[in-house]
Amino acid sequence: MSATTPAGRVLNEQPEDSPTAADHAADPLAVAREIALRQLTVRARSRAELARALSRKGVPEETARQVLDRLTDVGLIDDAAFAREWLAAGGRRQRSRRVLISELGEKGVDREIIDEAVAELDGDHDYAVARGYAERKAASLARLEPQVRYRRLTGALARRGFPSSVVAQVAREVLADLDLLDGGEQEV
């Protein structure tokens, strides 16, 4: 029996193209492959993320291992490439190195692979990303008192996981530049 929402949407029904219990019994390998490929269609994923997705869908462990091994063999699963891409995208998402490392760990990427990918990052990654974020953020703080600007900017940078030394340096530099543009004096 299916329930409906107040908007009239039917719950507990499988979409026509989704795997059903009958499909699982017929060809669990094909169902597992379909689940994994759908996950990879959305975005690149680590092997551990795909294993968890398959497990949640009730795919037997041995079947999941076979499918994941095959996808690894053909290059659709590559944790090292995934880690490098995640770190590169982290700069666009304005996250610190520490936060990105934590996110990769949560996604099940091995620590050794994470360390190799982090070694490829520019040494000034945190500074460059923090500076870019702070410059955009500072524009919205221009009308505030200097102490309030400093407090809000450092708080925003700290919440994104940047080290305190980078936060302080970037905040001082960006706010000094903002004050020069405004013709004011910074009192922090």
Side-chain angles (χ1 to χ4, degrees):
M1 180 173 200
S2 298
T4 59
T5 66
R9 191 167 162 235
V10 178
L11 300 176
N12 300 329
E13 280 193 15
Q14 296 283 340
E16 291 179 20
D17 61 346
S18 72
T20 63
D23 294 334
H24 279 287
D27 188 5
L29 210 56
V31 171
R33 186 173 36 255
E34 178 68 22
I35 292 168
L37 290 173
R38 283 177 189 238
Q39 292 284 312
L40 290 169
T41 300
V42 175
R43 69 167 173 83
R45 297 188 188 271
S46 70
R47 183 180 177 101
E49 282 183 297
L50 291 171
R52 284 191 296 265
L54 292 171
S55 175
R56 278 193 311 270
K57 297 286 187 175
V59 174
E61 195 172 315
E62 179 59 27
T63 303
R65 187 191 56 72
Q66 289 175 354
V67 168
L68 294 175
D69 287 346
R70 177 66 181 141
L71 293 175
T72 301
D73 291 344
V74 298
L76 291 175
I77 301 174
D78 182 354
D79 280 358
F82 172 75
R84 286 189 303 274
E85 291 171 16
W86 192 263
L87 291 172
R92 292 187 299 276
R93 292 181 300 133
Q94 300 155 344
R95 300 275 197 262
S96 71
R97 180 187 313 242
R98 181 175 50 96
V99 169
L100 296 172
I101 290 169
S102 174
E103 289 173 351
L104 284 170
E106 291 170 6
K107 295 189 175 306
V109 178
D110 289 335
R111 185 63 196 190
E112 183 178 304
I113 293 172
I114 294 171
D115 291 341
E116 289 172 12
V118 168
E120 295 175 16
L121 277 182
D122 179 18
D124 291 331
H125 173 267
D126 279 347
Y127 175 81
V129 173
R131 177 75 191 221
Y133 175 74
E135 287 171 351
R136 285 185 294 283
K137 180 75 173 166
S140 68
L141 305 173
R143 298 176 194 255
L144 300 174
E145 294 295 319
Q147 298 87 357
V148 176
R149 277 189 236 168
Y150 185 80
R151 188 176 66 242
R152 289 192 185 174
L153 186 57
T154 56
L157 290 167
R159 284 189 296 277
R160 292 190 173 274
F162 295 105
S164 59
S165 60
V166 171
V167 168
Q169 178 185 1
V170 167
R172 278 193 307 272
E173 291 173 3
V174 168
L175 293 175
D177 292 347
L178 182 64
D179 283 339
L180 290 174
L181 291 175
D182 290 344
E185 295 283 327
Q186 181 180 8
E187 298 174 18
V188 177

